[in-house]
Each structure stands twice: as structure tokens, then as C-alpha cells.
Amino acid sequence: MAKRAILGLFEDASYAAEAGDALQRAGVAPTDYDFLTDTPYPEGAFGERHEGHKLYIFPLCGALVGLTIGILLTSMTQMAYPMVQAGKPILSLPPMAVVTYESTMLTAIIFTIIGIVFESRLPSFKQGLYDTRITEGYIGVLANVEETQLTEVSTLFTQAGAVDVVRENQAPA
Amino acid sequence: MAASESEHLHHGTAHGEGHGGSSGGHYPGMWIFPNPRVITRDMAGKVASMPRGFTLALLASGILLVLGVVGFVARAAADGFDDRAPWGYYMAAFSFVFMVTSAAPVAAVAFRFTKSHWRRPLSRVSELFAVVGILNIIMFIPMMLILPPIANPNAGHGNGHDLDIRRTIWFEGPVGAPHAWDLVGVIALAVTALFILWLSAVPDMAEARLTARGFRGWLYRRLSGHWYGAKKQWQAQKAGLALMGAFYFMTLIFVQFIISSDYAQSMIPGWKDSIFPVFYSLTGFQVALGTCLIILYIMRRWGGFQEYYGKSPFWSASKIQLGLTLLWAYHLFAFFITYWYGRLAVEQNIIKYLFTQSYGGLFVANLALSFAIPFLLLLWNPVRRSAWGPPLAGLSAAAGALMFSLRVMVGGANSGNIYAAFLDHVPAAAYPDLWDIFIVTGAIGAAAFTYLLATRILPLISVWEVKEGALYQRLATFTPTGKGEYLVLAKPE
């Protein structure tokens, strides 16, 4: 059965943390609920799971690709069209460094952009469950649960101190 | 509905226990913590409004932009692009705009690295300069046409004293050098800055996407897509801003190096100086920080942002301004003394050309505006603590940077035979005509126009950052009687 989203809105961070604990006790998997905030909160503020990311791999791969392209481009150009400048060797590192640096930076940047877009799942043209009160400092606890659990989760949110509970297909406030 | 001032003040103590002129211990108005509950609505109102002062500024900068286009077309019609000499003032205009606007995003990037709380109101002001990067790309296209080829087109035609290949950093002429690599650098810089701006503004756009109307609403919905403020997204944003910030700084230094090298140093035969690119970058950082503070001051004084900008960004930035000003003087002296002591004919000619004779007046103005005036202003604690002192020093540094760009770029364009082995005489100064004045003022107007338009799309406050700041800062008193007010800062990591 497809999972449905339900959003609890909390005015206070401690109530949101309580809701997270209640979801955990009710057997909702940590990957099935998330805290939506209008600003980054400190790590573990809601007792949430640790989230890792692999963003650093992207610039590293990009830099390696760019470095290789830069070295190949400069060395092959100079081998194909040798120009002796002031008695320097055909393959001299200082002049090669200029182009190699630029190509390395360029591909590292492009790969990082791809990595950020991939890691944060942006952009997307589909609107998910959200409530504009989160922009006013409310904390949203978004749970994706089976349809049969919706009522139970809604009760959990209310008991934890939610000021409102929003479900899918319900007009946002 | 935009939040009223009384609403701000009423709610001001809810999160920050202090607000504006009502708090700050010995220094009233030093620290301001806006109310996170109303900031999103208030910023949406400010972005959508068109105050009279803003409209006038947009009109004035638009007129300057048109004059600049007129000057450019007239110059192109009269002189074409074959000779670089008539384009000296265009090169200076590009250099100045590029120097300011490309270095400005570093203010947001650098102070995020250092996790300085005071930088929060400054972040978006500096990041918005990314939009002017598009103007930099457009302005750079004629710069490519002006730049002479590396290989001497007259080589082997009896000019025995000329070089076959002029002296540049592109020693072995890699494919596309210098034009293509310069252009790629300028584009990479602009794209990186725009991506940083987007990444930083995504949470703010996501907050406003459901309430904004018209073009802004359409744009916000497309650009903020799937952002809901989930933890993984905040983590990716934080890491992304750090990585892209580092790459931006590394790319900026490189592009400033190739621009200063290709359009100033290599234009004057025999000008070999390892300090100049550093000096160019340093001037850029000095003027960029100053320009951000000028904008901050204008918005605080006349733009209705007094509820968001305390004096602390000015005070904290002023110390960095003072450091940059002293470094500027140190690098100038290091450059000058090497040439003065070297006493080769080419070195003496370059000193006479750029410092003491041909462009001596501009050099004195440059020295006074970039060093003497900012230094004498920023030396004093009360001036550094004021909201007007650091922006005034910034204004002086900006005028100084313009003098610097005029001196080295116009000097470079009018140095004579670019394929000569060294500068064997002291060329005369090239004075501006009407079209040159139009071009220089037009370029500055175009940058201002672009920036002003950008403020109609994104707020001048990084809303999520200011809200985050409210979580970690508050004013407390040392005694129960309410005396001895001090600032409590938290470090989340």
C-alpha cells in the first residue's frame, strides 16, 4: 500500500522533539519522518537520526577529471606545436599549471553543482506537503506512513502538542 | 501585510531579548535581533514595494547605463577594435566593475567560513553582486576584441627589435590563449557566484513561493522546487555553500591574476612584477567590502532596514577594512621599492609612467583615497563603532580603486608598441574625452542598475541566516538590577 504524508505543526522545538520520540515508540521508521524548519537547527536538536551525505566525492572526482584534461591538453598541444621559449623545455610545469589549474577548478565546480543538485534533490517541479506557518518559525514533523496509521499518527502529534495537523489533499493554511 | 515597526519592537524581545536602539549596553543599536516570526512577511513586502528613493536610484543608474551604451557605440564607430589605445577607459571601467563585483561575494563566503554571527545581515548584500557577474560577461566580450594577439603580426617584417611573441603568462600559447581562457574564467566566476546565490536563497524563495505573486512567484516556484527545510537539505546546503565558497575564492584569485596580467602588466613591455596581481586582488577585497558596507548603510539609513541592521556589522567589518588598508600600503611599497631600487631603465620608465610623471596625479589621488583617508578614519575607535565611519572609508576606497584602475589600465592601453622588448620611453598620459566619461560612468551605472533590479527579486536579507542568528544570540544583564548588559553568543558546532 502506498504511503501517505501527514504533517504536524509545532510552535515549540521541544514539542516537536517529543513528537519525534512518540513516532519512534509507535514503530515508525526513522527514515519515514523528518523535521521541516525555516532555519538550520543544531545537530540532534530534535533527537533525529544522523544524516550523512557524499557531497565531497563530487568535487574530488571533478578535480581529477579536470586535472587530467588540463595535463593532456597542455602537453599534447606543446608536443604537437613545439615552441621553445627562452631555452625552457617543451614540457615545462609552470606554464602548464595556468591552464591545468583553470580546467581543474572548472570541472570541480561543475561536478559540485551536480552533486548539490543531486544530494538535495533540487530542483523539482512537484510540490510536496508543506505549510506556510513553517516560514513563521513553526516546526513541521512530516511523517510518511501507511494510510491505516494516519489517524494514530495524527493523535500522536496532537498529544505531543501540535497546533495543527495537515494531511495530503488538505488545503494548506 | 508588511509588518509594522511597532510589531517588530513588540516581538523583538521574544527571541532576542533586545532590539535596535533599546539595547546594546554602552553602544546603543549595536546588536539587533529581528523577530523571526515577522521577517519573512516583512521581507516579501519590501521586495515587492517600489519606494520613491529606489525608483529614483533605478532611473539615475538607468540613464547612466544608456549614456554608457552611447559612449561605447560612439567609440566603436570612431575607432573600431583594432587599436587598444582608444579603449583604455573602457578597460579601466571593466576592471573597476569587475574588481568590485567579483570580489563582493567573498564577504559572504569568508565570514561564513569563520562562522561570524555579525556577518548575517551582510551575507545577501554581498551575494547579490553575483547577478552583476552577468554584466561582467557582457562587458568582457569587447575586452577580448581589444586584446592584441600574443604572436606579433609583423614578425619577420623588418622590425628587428620587436619580439616575435609578446611577454604574457601564456608562455607557450596553449589552445585559445589568452582570449578563450580569460573568457572561460570570467564565465566560471559568474556561474559559481550565481550558484552560490541560488543555493543561499533557496530556503528564502521556498518560504515565499506560496505567497509571492506574478513573476516572483513563478520564479520562486521553479528555483526552489523541492525545498522543504528537511535536515538532509540543510546539510547539503551547508556543505555546498562551503565547497562552492572555497572554489569561488580559488577561481576569483586566478581570474584576477589573468585579468590583471593580460590587461595591465603584459600591456606595458617589460613590466614584470610578481606583487601586482596580489595587489590587484587586495584592492578588490578592500573595495568590495567597502561597497557592501555602503549598501548596508544606505539601506539602514534610507531603505527601511534599520530594524534589521545593527551597528555590529560595521564595527566588525571595520577591523578587517583597517587590516586590508594597511596591507594595501604594504604591497604598494613592496612593489615600488623593488622598482625604485632596481634602477634599470625600464623600471625607471615604468615608475615615471605610472607613479611620478604621466599618471602622477592619479597615483597621488589613488594613494590618498585607498590608504590615507581610510586609514585616518578607521584608526579611531568611535569611528569604527559608528554606522557611518566604515562606509565612508569604503566610499574613499572605492574612489581609490577607480583611480587605480584608470592608472594601470589606461596606462597599459596607451603604452605604445606592445611587442617591444621593454618600455624605452615615458609615454604621455591619455586624458578622457566625452565618450570615455560616458563609458566609465555608464559602466558604474550599469552595475548599480543590475544590482538594484536584483533586489526586486531577492530580499537584501538572508532570511534563514538572520533567523538562525536569533537562535544563537541574545543580550543578558550581569546583575539582576539590569545593569552590565552583555551579548551571549552560542556556537552550535
Side-chain angles (χ1 to χ4, degrees):
Chain A
M1 192 185 287
K3 288 189 173 176
R4 303 288 298 272
I6 182 167
L7 177 70
L9 285 168
F10 297 85
E11 205 167 0
D12 193 288
S14 55
Y15 295 158
E18 265 178 46
D21 292 343
L23 285 172
Q24 212 169 358
R25 282 196 298 272
V28 179
T31 48
D32 282 339
Y33 64 92
D34 212 336
F35 296 88
L36 309 185
T37 56
D38 61 341
T39 191
Y41 275 70
E43 181 70 32
F46 307 109
E48 73 277 19
R49 69 187 185 279
H50 176 74
E51 288 270 15
H53 65 84
K54 297 181 176 66
L55 189 58
Y56 297 102
I57 294 170
F58 288 87
L60 190 66
C61 292
L64 287 173
V65 170
L67 185 71
T68 311
I69 291 172
I71 290 170
L72 286 175
L73 184 69
T74 48
S75 57
M76 287 167 75
T77 308
Q78 283 152 219
M79 297 291 272
Y81 304 98
M83 285 196 301
V84 177
Q85 289 257 355
K88 300 288 182 196
I90 295 295
L91 293 180
S92 307
L93 283 181
M96 287 169 73
V98 178
V99 171
T100 307
Y101 181 89
E102 188 166 354
S103 61
T104 306
M105 293 308 303
L106 201 62
T107 45
I109 288 167
I110 292 167
F111 273 60
T112 308
I113 290 174
I114 294 167
I116 292 167
V117 169
F118 176 77
E119 281 285 331
S120 54
R121 313 288 188 268
L122 290 167
S124 164
F125 301 105
K126 187 183 161 218
Q127 291 282 329
L129 190 56
Y130 192 71
D131 191 287
T132 51
R133 280 171 288 183
I134 293 171
T135 70
E136 294 167 5
Y138 285 72
I139 294 149
V141 181
L142 179 69
N144 289 296
V145 292
E146 303 293 342
E147 200 157 359
T148 50
Q149 286 182 286
L150 283 173
T151 310
E152 183 195 355
V153 171
S154 177
T155 309
L156 284 178
F157 283 162
T158 310
Q159 284 173 347
V163 291
D164 200 1
V165 178
V166 184
R167 296 188 189 195
E168 268 180 329
N169 305 324
Q170 184 181 326
Chain B
M1 184 189 77
S4 66
E5 187 172 329
S6 60
E7 194 177 3
H8 278 288
L9 289 167
H10 179 71
H11 292 285
T13 53
H15 287 254
E17 294 192 351
H19 199 280
S22 61
S23 301
H26 292 300
Y27 312 124
M30 183 59 74
W31 294 289
I32 287 179
F33 313 122
N35 181 1
R37 295 262 187 239
V38 296
I39 184 171
T40 303
R41 265 187 300 148
D42 195 24
M43 280 304 123
K46 282 192 192 320
V47 169
S49 67
M50 284 287 279
R52 187 180 155 77
F54 176 84
T55 311
L56 285 174
L58 197 66
L59 189 68
S61 57
I63 291 168
L64 288 178
L65 166 62
V66 171
L67 289 179
V69 173
V70 169
F72 177 83
V73 172
R75 171 64 66 231
D79 299 295
F81 292 97
D82 293 336
D83 183 11
R84 74 188 196 283
W87 292 97
Y89 283 89
Y90 182 84
M91 285 162 58
F94 170 81
S95 165
F96 177 69
V97 171
F98 173 77
M99 189 187 271
V100 178
T101 61
S102 64
V106 172
V109 164
F111 303 131
R112 252 189 217 126
F113 279 152
T114 57
K115 302 188 190 334
S116 312
H117 283 310
W118 62 264
R119 105 289 168 168
R120 295 178 189 278
L122 191 75
S123 294
R124 184 59 52 73
V125 169
S126 73
E127 281 167 349
L128 267 184
F129 276 100
V131 181
V132 191
I134 299 166
L135 177 73
N136 286 339
I137 297 173
I138 296 167
M139 282 183 69
F140 190 72
I141 295 167
M143 292 283 283
M144 289 196 297
L145 301 174
I146 299 162
L147 192 63
I150 291 177
N152 185 351
N154 297 317
H157 290 86
N159 299 316
H161 298 295
D162 285 356
L163 302 170
D164 289 349
I165 298 167
R166 66 187 177 89
R167 287 171 177 150
T168 68
I169 55 159
W170 310 98
F171 302 94
E172 291 161 343
V175 178
H179 305 80
W181 292 100
D182 285 355
L183 180 66
V184 166
V186 173
I187 292 174
L189 205 57
V191 170
T192 311
L194 282 170
F195 189 78
I196 290 173
L197 174 65
W198 172 73
L199 195 57
S200 165
V202 158
D204 296 350
M205 290 191 288
E207 286 192 358
R209 72 189 154 196
L210 296 175
T211 51
R213 299 276 174 269
F215 173 71
R216 265 187 295 272
W218 175 85
L219 191 72
Y220 291 172
R221 281 188 289 279
R222 263 137 199 86
L223 291 181
S224 65
H226 206 327
W227 181 275
Y228 296 105
K231 187 182 172 185
K232 194 174 175 66
Q233 292 182 321
W234 285 118
Q235 278 188 330
Q237 192 224 25
K238 184 184 169 191
L241 283 173
L243 282 169
M244 293 301 286
F247 287 138
Y248 186 77
F249 181 76
M250 292 163 77
T251 310
L252 173 68
I253 294 295
F254 175 78
V255 178
Q256 284 178 333
F257 167 60
I258 56 176
I259 294 292
S260 62
S261 165
D262 279 342
Y263 288 93
Q265 272 195 288
S266 69
M267 293 276 182
I268 298 180
W271 185 6
K272 291 173 285 185
D273 176 20
S274 59
I275 295 170
F276 182 73
V278 184
F279 190 50
Y280 188 90
S281 296
L282 190 61
T283 309
F285 293 138
Q286 185 197 28
V287 67
L289 183 58
T291 306
C292 290
L293 293 178
I294 294 168
I295 294 169
L296 214 60
Y297 180 77
I298 291 171
M299 298 316 293
R300 184 179 190 269
R301 181 79 176 77
W302 295 289
F305 279 75
Q306 63 272 30
E307 299 298 322
Y308 294 96
Y309 301 150
K311 290 179 189 168
S312 62
F314 299 101
W315 189 23
S316 302
S318 71
K319 296 159 197 170
I320 295 154
Q321 263 188 310
L322 181 58
L324 288 171
T325 304
L326 290 169
L327 269 177
W328 191 92
Y330 164 66
H331 279 82
L332 176 77
F333 186 74
F335 160 69
F336 182 83
I337 195 72
T338 314
Y339 269 54
W340 179 83
Y341 198 69
R343 292 177 61 83
L344 293 174
V346 62
E347 291 170 334
Q348 290 187 47
N349 286 341
I350 288 171
I351 283 187
K352 285 175 187 167
Y353 186 41
L354 296 178
F355 288 87
T356 57
Q357 287 183 11
S358 307
Y359 293 99
L362 274 183
F363 170 68
V364 172
N366 185 189
L367 183 64
L369 292 162
S370 291
F371 172 66
I373 294 173
F375 177 70
L376 291 173
L377 277 171
L378 296 169
L379 200 59
W380 307 102
N381 262 327
V383 177
R384 286 206 302 272
R385 272 200 303 268
S386 70
W388 58 267
L392 188 61
L395 189 64
S396 176
L402 180 60
M403 299 298 124
F404 171 79
S405 285
L406 289 171
R407 192 163 61 87
V408 298
M409 293 291 169
V410 177
N414 291 278
S415 65
N417 180 13
I418 200 171
Y419 299 101
F422 59 89
L423 192 71
D424 56 4
H425 66 294
V426 182
Y431 294 100
D433 60 14
L434 183 65
W435 304 135
D436 290 327
I437 293 167
F438 277 13
I439 286 171
V440 174
T441 52
I444 297 167
F449 185 79
T450 313
Y451 189 90
L452 287 169
L453 284 184
T455 65
R456 296 303 89 188
I457 296 172
L458 291 170
L460 267 164
I461 288 272
S462 178
V463 175
W464 67 269
E465 266 184 298
V466 170
K467 285 180 178 177
E468 188 189 28
L471 294 176
Y472 301 125
Q473 300 174 87
R474 63 185 62 227
L475 285 169
T477 52
F478 196 71
T479 65
T481 56
K483 291 193 171 62
E485 205 169 40
Y486 60 91
L487 181 68
V488 181
L489 295 174
K491 293 278 184 185
E493 51 191 284

